[in-house]
């Protein structure tokens, strides 16, 4: 093996671009490991863990770009480096027709005074500073970066509130503003339903279900996953409610969140009750949702929330295909599994998709473990070891610290898929595949070889392994929902029609009771 190191002084690229380049570099022939990142302390720590750190890399400054290639030979590494350089050149040339580059936010705002929104994707150590600068320049902010302190988040949102600006994030992955999808977002029709989401994939799921049911999106405002925490107090969700109440395009408002802090949930609901427009609320959790009241409806899951929102716009329920659970399929799957195959292992890219499936399992089984379990007793001590029913969010910091998001790079999920396939007690493995802006260009295709290998591992052991997939996307996405689902069908994968149905199918497949 040979290693090639290149350090480009004072050369900055945002983390989203670098994750994409790293992913493509690792798919090149002759590459064992390719790492393309800024020389931050966190990224240096990743290199140490990979055994690739050198004195030269240790001396690199945080504003330097590191390219580290471990390949079959010097010649292979040279070819890989040329390919990586070409990826950057193509990015530059593609952007040059539509974009100009500026060294600072202030410079960009000076040259483009009509701009009103900044998308910030920098290392967490610098993210709050950049976001503050954008707000002080009267720019709305979408802060994609994570690893921002709660104190900084609170200060930024208080400043935005004072100035009447959006402060989406930190760790805000999804937004659709006036029809423009930002970061991870799907291609959905325009319409009259506004979404406010303290959850990236939850917002995506709600938007695609609304699209499927014939509705459309006016705005999708992300808040960042911690907005409904006790510390932040729902500042962004409350401000977004006010904005959508005043937005002429929006007729119905839908709220989506992972389990919020109870006191903050009450505050948000009080504001929603006074809204002049109908509001649908989907706060995921184990408890029963509240009873509907005038102008305020509650949903247990994303599918129900989307349906209620669409019906409020005048769509007739009888005109919709709601995809009820397929009980004959459930009976068929149960008959194929051995008695010892009693556990679900769920490997998710989307945190809210993981949450929704996990809460469905918790309605039936007590022994449900996860790296995001709200019950600390069932929080995994070691995320590398599954226990009983295990639901993993590969987008959580446990898996993404210094590594690309699983929507971009499937490496972590592939190795875990094969690991779970070897466990004789596993009956069903669940995976999501997220389409849309920012995601992998072929999320199903990149997993197919691993899926086939996983099924072969089980078959050699005399077991039938069920793989249940869910594709989050629409017919307008590229690749399309239909194309990706057909690939799953061809690979022998059962696919669910929604996030809600994914969780329900998974729990019923391994249930030893008779199907209804």
């Amino acid at each position: 093996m040979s290693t090639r190191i290149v350090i480009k002084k004072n050369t900055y690229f945002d983390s989203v671009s670098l994750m994409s380049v790293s992913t493509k570099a690792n798919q090149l022939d002759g590459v064992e490991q390719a790492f393309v990142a800024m020389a931050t302390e966190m990224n240096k720590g990743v290199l140490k863990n990979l055994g690739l750190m050198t004195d030269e890399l240790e001396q690199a400054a945080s504003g330097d770009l590191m390219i580290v290639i471990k390949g079959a030979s010097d010649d292979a590494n040279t070819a890989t480096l040329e390919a990586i350089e070409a990826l950057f050149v193509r990015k530059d040339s593609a952007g040059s027709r539509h974009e100009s580059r500026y060294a600072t936010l202030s410079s960009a705002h000076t040259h483009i005074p009509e701009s009103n929104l900044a998308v910030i994707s920098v290392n967490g150590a610098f993210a709050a500073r950049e976001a503050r600068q954008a707000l002080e320049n009267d720019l709305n902010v979408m802060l994609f970066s994570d690893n921002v302190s709660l104190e900084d988040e609170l200060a930024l949102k208080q400043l935005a509130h004072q100035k009447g600006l959006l402060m989406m994030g930190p760790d805000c992955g999804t937004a659709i503003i006036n029809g423009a999808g930002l970061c991870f977002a799907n291609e959905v029709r325009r319409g009259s339903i506004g979404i406010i989401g303290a959850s990236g994939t939850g917002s995506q799921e709600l938007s695609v279900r609304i699209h499927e049911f014939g509705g459309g999106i006016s705005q999708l405002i992300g808040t960042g996953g911690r907005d409904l925490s006790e510390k932040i107090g729902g500042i962004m969700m409350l401000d977004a409610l006010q904005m959508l109440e005043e937005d002429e395009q929006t007729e119905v408002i839908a709220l989506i969140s992972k389990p919020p802090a109870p006191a903050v949930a009450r505050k948000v609901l009080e504001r929603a009750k006074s809204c002049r427009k109908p509001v649908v609320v989907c706060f995921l959790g184990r408890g029963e949702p509240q009873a509907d009241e005038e102008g305020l409806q509650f949903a247990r899951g994303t599918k129900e929330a989307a349906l209620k929102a669409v019906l409020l716009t005048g769509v007739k329920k009888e005109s919709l295909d709601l995809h009820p659970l397929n009980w004959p399929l459930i009976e068929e799957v149960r008959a194929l599994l051995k008695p010892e195959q009693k556990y679900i292992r769920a490997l998710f890219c989307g945190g809210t998709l993981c949450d929704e499936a996990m809460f469905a399992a918790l309605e039936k089984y007590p022994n449900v473990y996860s790296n995001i379990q709200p019950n600390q007793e069932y929080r995994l001590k070691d995320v590398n070891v599954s226990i009983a029913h295990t639901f993993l969010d590969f987008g959580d910091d446990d898996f993404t610290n210094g590594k690309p998001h699983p929507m971009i790079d499937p490496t972590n999920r592939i190795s875990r898929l094969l690991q779970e396939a070897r466990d004789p007690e596993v009956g069903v493995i669940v995976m999501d595949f997220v389409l849309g802006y920012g995601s992998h260009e072929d999320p199903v295709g990149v997993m197919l070889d691993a899926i086939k290998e996983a099924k072969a591992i089980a078959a050699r052991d005399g077991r039938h392994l069920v793989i249940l997939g869910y594709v989050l996307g629409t017919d307008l996405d590229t690749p399309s929902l239909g194309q990706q689902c057909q690939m799953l069908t061809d690979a022998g994968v059962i696919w669910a029609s929604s996030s809600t149905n994914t969780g329900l199918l998974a729990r019923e497949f391994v249930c030893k009771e008779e199907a209804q």
Side-chain angles (χ1 to χ4, degrees), residues 319-373:
S319 69
L320 302 177
D321 182 356
L322 299 180
H323 300 291
L325 274 190
N326 186 338
W327 285 102
L329 173 65
I330 291 169
E331 287 184 326
E332 180 183 333
V333 168
R334 288 177 178 176
L336 291 171
L337 299 179
K338 294 183 174 183
E340 61 269 24
Q341 289 182 275
K342 54 188 177 181
Y343 292 133
I344 303 163
R345 298 290 161 78
L347 316 177
F348 280 94
C349 294
T352 300
L353 306 185
C354 184
D355 263 331
E356 186 162 18
M358 178 175 65
F359 287 128
L362 280 165
E363 292 173 2
K364 202 150 196 170
Y365 310 112
N367 53 342
V368 178
Y369 292 80
S370 174
N371 62 323
I372 58 172
Q373 241 280 23

Side-chain angles (χ1 to χ4, degrees), residues 171 173-176 184-186 195-210 217 220-223 225 254-258 282-284 301-303 305-306 348-356 393 405 407 432 434 470 472 499-500:
D171 199 18
T174 300
I176 302 174
F184 298 124
N186 295 92
I195 297 172
I196 307 170
S199 155
T201 50
S203 298
Q204 286 184 259
E205 172 65 11
L206 194 50
S207 73
V208 302
R209 291 280 73 76
I210 287 169
I217 306 303
L220 192 167
I221 299 174
T223 69
L255 310 182
I256 174 76
S257 175
K258 298 177 184 180
C282 180
F283 289 163
L284 295 174
T302 51
K303 180 178 177 180
F348 280 94
C349 294
T352 300
L353 306 185
C354 184
D355 263 331
E356 186 162 18
D393 171 16
H405 194 281
M407 288 187 200
D432 58 343
V434 182
Y470 170 57
L472 193 169
S499 173
T500 298

Side-chain angles (χ1 to χ4, degrees), residues 206 209 213 280 282 289 292 297-310 356 500:
L206 194 50
R209 291 280 73 76
F213 292 151
V280 178
C282 180
D292 292 347
Q297 298 189 25
F298 295 87
R300 190 180 189 88
T302 51
K303 180 178 177 180
E304 183 184 8
L307 177 61
K308 287 191 169 189
V310 168
E356 186 162 18
T500 298

